[in-house]
Amino acid sequence: FLCLVAQFCCGFFVILILGNFWFLAVLYLLWLYLDWQTPCTGGRRSQWVRNWTVWKYFREYFPIHLIKTSDLSPNHNYLFGFHPHGVLVAGAFGNFCTSSSFKNLFPGLTPYLHIMPIWFSCPFFREYIMSAGMVSASKESVSYVLDNKGGGHASVIVIGGAEESLNAHPGSLTLNILKRKGFIKMALKHGAHLVPVFSFGENELFKQVANPKGSWLRNVQEKLQKIMGFALPLFHARGVFQYSFGLIPYRQPIHTVVGSPIPVKQNLNPTTEEIEQLHALYLQKLRMLFEEHKRNYGIPEHKSLIFE
């Protein structure tokens, strides 16, 4: 979805250059140069964009629900670890980039969804995603959000990243997390409380072409992901008037469960051992969150998370 919108924006920019409006393209390039660091300094959200009626229909289509398990004091900053990535990351977008129930459930907190920096290089598209509350996933950007002295900021990071989208098959519970410890280090450096978030139903929205590890398709996808920075899962779902084939996601409910915070004491120079200990505690709390709620959302009793 992001790719399609980004391509449209890039195409519109090319039309400006080739048409009689090249001067507008030049002005925008100047603006782009002057505004380049904004995605790393909190972005530029617009409540008007986040309130668009289309997002209400987007949330109701699946539908998307946000579940609170614990109060989060606005006197602290938080780092939300969002799982799993899925293909669309619908739960993260619907709950943190639109006027959802987040504000009522967690008063005083402002969520920032961190996405790959490459998206902010796309003309015009960058303005839209920033207006929705998205910011860069760079270290500089995460530090800016978590460095808010008065608290009340929540960095939302999809921990598995683009690589995890290649595991987004219906019923899959595999998370790419064992080697991902940068978010732990950032939480320690800023004293941001860690909050595990699991979005039940995220992997059920599309069917993906079989790509087991070691297959030629998976090898090609992984190589492309390393080159381009984002993955290209081959997926399909339903059409507009039929349910057998198309690119519209299936209407499967999404329940994004926000866990209890893990208190983190600020440590500007954490050791490897301290990072490992907090990472292990985070995995434990994430698994506990999943086990506690899986029965409510159709996960069989014998199913458990797989960390890799």
Side-chain angles (χ1 to χ4, degrees):
F1 176 75
L2 285 177
C3 288
L4 291 175
V5 178
Q7 288 173 4
F8 173 81
C9 291
C10 289
F12 178 69
F13 184 71
V14 171
I15 291 173
L16 288 181
I17 295 176
L18 299 179
N20 295 324
F21 303 98
W22 59 267
F23 62 95
L24 293 177
V26 172
L27 288 176
Y28 184 79
L29 286 175
L30 177 60
W31 163 257
L32 195 61
Y33 173 76
L34 297 174
D35 195 56
W36 191 254
Q37 288 300 316
T38 301
C40 296
T41 54
R44 186 172 47 248
R45 70 179 56 216
S46 166
Q47 200 58 40
W48 175 68
V49 173
R50 291 168 61 88
N51 280 331
W52 281 354
T53 303
V54 66
W55 304 136
K56 174 178 178 291
Y57 293 126
F58 174 82
R59 294 192 303 269
E60 292 178 350
Y61 172 80
F62 298 98
I64 296 174
H65 304 280
L66 186 65
I67 291 87
K68 169 183 174 180
T69 63
S70 176
D71 290 332
L72 298 180
S73 170
N75 296 323
H76 300 292
N77 293 317
Y78 300 89
L79 196 158
F80 286 19
F82 184 92
H83 312 271
H85 184 287
V87 171
L88 191 62
V89 205
F93 178 81
N95 287 308
F96 306 121
C97 296
T98 71
S99 292
S100 65
S101 58
F102 184 90
K103 185 176 181 180
N104 294 328
L105 292 177
F106 304 102
L109 285 188
T110 302
Y112 295 82
L113 179 60
H114 296 270
I115 64 175
M116 291 183 296
I118 190 174
W119 293 116
F120 297 97
S121 302
C122 180
F124 300 116
F125 181 66
R126 69 189 297 274
E127 317 304 333
Y128 157 66
I129 56 180
M130 278 196 290
S131 67
M134 294 181 235
V135 292
S136 172
S138 66
K139 292 181 181 179
E140 177 188 3
S141 177
V142 177
S143 292
Y144 184 91
V145 173
L146 296 181
D147 201 33
N148 187 42
K149 301 304 179 183
H153 282 187
S155 278
V156 183
I157 302 178
V158 184
I159 305 300
E163 182 182 359
E164 193 174 85
S165 67
L166 299 178
N167 290 328
H169 296 272
S172 173
L173 296 172
T174 300
L175 304 180
N176 291 64
I177 191 172
L178 292 181
K179 295 181 180 179
R180 297 178 182 265
K181 300 171 185 176
F183 73 103
I184 297 292
K185 189 174 183 179
M186 293 300 292
L188 282 166
K189 282 191 171 184
H190 294 279
H193 295 350
L194 282 166
V195 180
V197 179
F198 196 88
S199 195
F200 292 89
E202 200 74 45
N203 284 338
E204 317 305 316
L205 306 185
F206 297 92
K207 292 180 180 178
Q208 190 172 169
V209 175
N211 60 342
K213 288 194 173 183
S215 65
W216 69 269
L217 176 58
R218 185 61 167 258
N219 290 336
V220 170
Q221 288 175 319
E222 290 177 346
K223 288 179 180 178
L224 289 175
Q225 188 262 324
K226 290 179 181 179
I227 294 172
M228 299 184 298
F230 56 89
L232 293 173
L234 298 179
F235 60 89
H236 66 89
R238 54 162 291 186
V240 178
F241 301 110
Q242 45 77 29
Y243 292 85
S244 57
F245 190 82
L247 296 178
I248 299 176
Y250 293 115
R251 297 192 70 176
Q252 296 289 340
I254 298 172
H255 295 87
T256 303
V257 183
V258 180
S260 300
I262 303 171
V264 177
K265 185 177 180 180
Q266 186 173 23
N267 184 348
L268 296 178
N269 296 292
T271 64
T272 301
E273 182 180 359
E274 289 169 331
I275 294 173
E276 292 285 352
Q277 288 178 348
L278 184 55
H279 186 261
L281 177 60
Y282 179 86
L283 294 183
Q284 177 186 345
K285 295 295 184 180
L286 175 60
R287 188 180 294 279
M288 288 175 59
L289 178 70
F290 174 80
E291 293 295 332
E292 182 179 351
H293 294 274
K294 68 179 183 181
R295 301 171 190 81
N296 298 331
Y297 307 116
I299 307 295
E301 187 66 33
H302 68 279
K303 290 270 190 174
S304 296
L305 292 180
I306 300 173
F307 297 146
E308 63 175 32

